[in-house]
Amino acid sequence: MRAGAGKSEIILKDDYLEIENFAVVHKTLNARALVIESGRTLVILSIEITSLPNEGAEDLKDMIARKYGVKKEGIWICVTHTFSAPHLLPDSVLKEEEKIEKKAQYRECIYNASMEAAAQAFAEMQPVTAGFGSGYCDINTNRDVELKDGWWIGEGGPGLADKTVSVVRFDREDKSPLAILFHYGIQSSVLDGSALSAGGKAVSPDVAGVASDYIEKQYDSGTVGLFLMGAAGDQAPAERAISETFVYGERIRTDRQEEGFGICERLGSMLGEVTCHIANRIKSQDVKEEAEIGRMTFRVPGKEMERDLKKLHPTREYPFTANGEAEVLIEVMRIGELALVGVKPELNCVSGLAVKACSPFEHTLVCTMVNGGAKYMADRTSYDRLTYEAMNSPFGRGAAEKLTRQATELLDRMAASKTQI
């Protein structure tokens, strides 16, 4: 096996930040890349932004495929889902030509940083050994809580919270870590919507970015720490700058403002410290198996979705309206007993754990918001409770359960193929 890794800052321009009321860059945003060559070439990009539209992911895949002669099926464009970064807002929202042009410039900055990170990774391809480890980190919580009027977003909900940190370490021949890939189920939303005391919001890679920075600072070998988001649809940071509740139908919000920076540093550093502790225990080995790629598309029930999120609130009644069917893609990258399962929708924790439990491979990481985004895909319990994830979803009841079955079928098929070989 050979691998390379790279990192590049996303250069932000003030005039686009102002559109969403960002006033300052508290911590820089970065794009990170990992390229793995084992029979075939795999490329994983981890970009510190909230989301990337499907067309943006396809653009980057096309650019990488053309420049480096690799197949698009082996390229994953992932986001860390920090809520404290500008969105690539639709033209219909921006409306003004000047704002649309500023968005194009911002998109170009994201592309440039991503391509520079990929260029660094391809330039330093070298023989590597690899190993896997996992551990426990208590910085997330199930966010679905029951209020008087219904279910809403909070902390310490009764649902599942997956505390597992999974780590893949790639070592150079001198045993120094080239890259550390870490996976955890959390939305990086400590600073989501929080305003500075002087006004405006702060740009930040939030929890995942702080963890990546922490990992990279622990090693003197130019290590790159790449974050992959797990099934985090209902997984929030254990503490956030803003708390929100409803009392007699009235929304009540409390903002701790600059205190949020300290929360980010504390939780992100805890995740980084646990990741390093796991990585330091990993004994990397030669990998002789060729990488394999699996893909499957299928259809699930669709439903109408409220586009104005401000209209959503806790309720005991909600009109879920069917809207045909939606096509879903599952992608798998497998090397030996490690299987990365990638999907666009944001899955709830229970769905990720179900795929992992049924997988025939020793190590299975379910990754969301891969190669674009598709909003939430909530499980049946969320539909019963009328949670935010269920209301804010283009998928109907039963879609998540069908995805877990299809993912298991694809993994079983790949395992059978591996056994026959």
Side-chain angles (χ1 to χ4, degrees):
M1 178 188 285
R2 285 159 39 87
K7 171 185 175 182
S8 180
E9 181 182 344
I10 300 171
I11 306 299
L12 300 173
K13 297 182 179 180
D14 292 342
D15 51 0
Y16 189 71
L17 296 182
E18 294 168 359
I19 293 175
E20 293 185 79
N21 198 31
F22 284 103
V24 65
V25 177
H26 179 67
K27 288 180 74 75
T28 58
L29 307 177
N30 293 280
R32 294 174 173 86
L34 174 65
V35 179
I36 304 167
E37 193 178 87
S38 185
R40 69 173 72 232
T41 302
L42 307 177
V43 180
I44 299 175
L45 270 175
S46 178
I47 310 172
E48 290 176 339
I49 55 178
T50 309
S51 60
L52 189 64
N54 295 338
E55 59 270 22
E58 287 302 313
D59 284 347
L60 276 173
K61 289 169 69 175
D62 285 338
M63 293 162 68
I64 293 170
R66 283 197 305 268
K67 184 166 184 178
Y68 299 105
V70 298
K71 293 185 177 181
K72 287 178 63 176
E73 291 77 10
I75 303 171
W76 278 15
I77 311 298
C78 308
V79 298
T80 65
H81 203 34
T82 171
F83 282 69
S84 299
H87 291 79
L88 286 164
L89 296 169
D91 291 356
S92 59
V93 173
L94 294 172
K95 296 180 181 178
E96 300 172 20
E97 286 298 324
E98 183 181 358
K99 291 181 178 179
I100 293 172
E101 176 58 31
K102 289 176 181 177
K103 179 187 75 170
Q105 294 171 1
Y106 173 49
R107 181 173 56 231
E108 194 67 21
C109 292
I110 294 172
Y111 288 1
N112 289 342
S114 299
M115 292 304 292
E116 172 57 28
Q120 292 176 21
F122 275 102
E124 72 161 305
M125 293 293 289
Q126 58 192 281
V128 295
T129 53
F132 181 90
S134 63
Y136 177 91
C137 185
D138 188 13
I139 67 161
N140 65 354
T141 180
N142 191 289
R143 70 181 195 170
D144 291 335
V145 298
E146 188 173 16
L147 305 179
K148 182 177 182 295
D149 297 330
W151 290 79
W152 196 243
I153 299 170
E155 298 167 4
L160 294 171
D162 187 0
K163 311 285 185 179
T164 304
V165 185
S166 299
V167 179
V168 186
R169 173 172 170 156
F170 297 87
D171 281 351
R172 302 180 181 90
E173 290 184 306
D174 65 2
K175 299 303 181 184
S176 64
L178 169 78
I180 292 176
L181 192 71
F182 66 111
H183 170 277
Y184 189 69
I186 193 170
Q187 290 189 357
S188 288
S189 57
V190 168
L191 298 176
D192 181 20
S194 179
L196 300 167
S197 56
K201 299 183 295 185
V203 171
S204 170
D206 214 281
V207 171
V210 171
S212 290
D213 289 343
Y214 182 98
I215 293 163
E216 291 164 353
K217 289 175 183 176
Q218 298 309 300
Y219 303 98
D220 297 325
S221 55
T223 304
V224 175
L226 289 90
F227 173 74
L228 291 179
M229 185 172 71
D234 57 353
Q235 307 289 285
E239 192 177 358
R240 293 182 296 168
I242 284 185
S243 59
E244 179 178 279
T245 189
F246 284 76
V247 178
Y248 299 112
E250 181 183 354
R251 189 189 303 261
I252 299 176
R253 302 172 87 239
T254 304
D255 190 348
R256 296 164 67 178
Q257 300 182 313
E258 282 84 353
E259 287 183 44
F261 298 148
I263 299 172
C264 260
E265 289 297 321
R266 185 171 69 256
L267 298 185
S269 296
M270 287 173 63
L271 179 56
E273 183 179 10
V274 169
T275 299
C276 289
H277 181 69
I278 296 166
N280 291 339
R281 298 199 316 262
I282 294 173
K283 296 186 182 301
S284 59
Q285 300 176 339
D286 289 330
V287 178
K288 303 186 184 302
E289 290 199 55
E290 292 189 357
E292 182 184 4
I293 295 171
R295 292 164 64 86
M296 171 188 284
T297 58
F298 55 98
R299 304 192 73 79
V300 299
K303 77 168 183 66
E304 293 183 5
M305 184 175 71
E306 174 59 62
R307 296 297 175 179
D308 185 357
L309 300 184
K310 293 180 181 179
K311 292 182 178 179
L312 297 181
H313 55 82
T315 181
R316 299 297 180 182
E317 296 181 1
Y318 191 81
F320 292 125
T321 304
N323 185 23
E325 290 187 326
E327 185 172 271
V328 177
L329 168 67
I330 297 174
E331 303 181 77
V332 175
M333 290 181 173
R334 183 196 66 80
I335 303 176
E337 285 298 313
L338 172 65
L340 304 180
V341 180
V343 297
K344 291 180 183 181
E346 297 178 66
L347 303 177
N348 282 354
C349 177
V350 65
S351 299
L353 289 176
V355 174
K356 182 178 178 180
C358 296
S359 173
F361 297 103
E362 185 176 357
H363 312 299
T364 301
L365 310 183
V366 177
C367 310
T368 56
M369 299 189 74
V370 174
N371 290 330
K375 300 297 288 183
Y376 295 100
M377 183 183 280
D379 61 282
R380 281 199 176 96
T381 299
S382 282
Y383 276 88
D384 292 340
R385 291 174 171 172
L386 309 183
T387 66
Y388 178 84
E389 296 85 43
M391 291 187 285
N392 187 18
S393 172
F395 305 105
R397 181 190 295 270
E401 286 72 24
K402 183 170 184 179
L403 184 144
T404 61
R405 293 194 299 271
Q406 296 296 103
T408 302
E409 179 183 322
L410 176 57
L411 291 167
D412 284 342
R413 204 161 63 214
M414 294 176 73
S417 173
K418 174 175 177 278
T419 302
Q420 290 169 7
I421 293 172

